[in-house]
Amino acid sequence: DFAVFILPSTPATHHIMDERRLRLMKPGSYLINAGRGDAVDCDALNKVLREGGALAGCALDVTEPEPLPADHRLWNAPNLLITPHVSGGFSLPETLEKIVGLFADNLERYFAGQPIENLVNLQTGYRE
């Protein structure tokens, strides 16, 4: 009933949710994008939301383009919630502690010539 996207921006994920895939979603389902804005084709999403039918609603924490211009059609699309790219914040103290701890551990690893944890492959955009 929910499709939740937290994808990186890569050639393989660009507009992965295009008009065809949006129309294939189960009637009454919801789409949430909190990864990168270009994973969802915003023009196609606008069209599908305005026509009604497949999607019951959508929430976007990221958009393409970002920030979304004040006069963009999506601001007035039905059944759409737009938040200002806040999903990756530090809402819990534990989150910040974990990130700082990972950074400190990786800094020690770097200076010791050891492999770094959670290294991202810049070719794929994904963690090794």
Side-chain angles (χ1 to χ4, degrees):
D1 293 327
F2 289 86
V4 181
F5 286 77
I6 50 172
L7 299 168
S9 179
T10 70
T13 62
H14 181 79
H15 288 186
I16 195 166
M17 266 322 250
D18 57 11
E19 184 174 346
R20 181 185 68 81
R21 285 192 173 114
L22 287 165
R23 294 190 185 285
L24 288 173
M25 289 187 67
K26 176 182 171 184
S29 61
Y30 294 86
L31 172 66
I32 300 170
N33 188 17
R36 293 293 176 244
D38 70 340
V40 176
D41 180 341
C42 285
D43 291 332
L45 176 63
N46 181 61
K47 182 177 180 182
V48 169
L49 285 172
R50 290 186 188 280
E51 290 175 1
L55 287 175
C58 180
L60 300 176
D61 188 51
V62 290
T63 58
E64 179 191 44
E66 190 174 83
L68 200 60
D71 61 346
H72 198 281
R73 302 175 297 283
L74 275 180
W75 285 116
N76 297 315
N79 302 318
L80 176 63
L81 172 66
I82 300 175
T83 56
H85 201 149
V86 294
S87 65
F90 307 121
S91 57
L92 296 173
E94 295 86 3
T95 305
L96 181 57
E97 289 173 23
K98 185 173 183 176
I99 291 170
V100 170
L102 177 62
F103 173 79
D105 183 54
N106 274 337
L107 189 61
E108 288 178 18
R109 289 171 172 273
Y110 176 79
F111 285 118
Q114 299 174 342
I116 294 175
E117 296 289 320
N118 295 313
L119 186 64
V120 173
N121 180 321
L122 297 178
Q123 299 295 320
T124 65
Y126 293 94
R127 187 175 71 164
E128 296 273 326

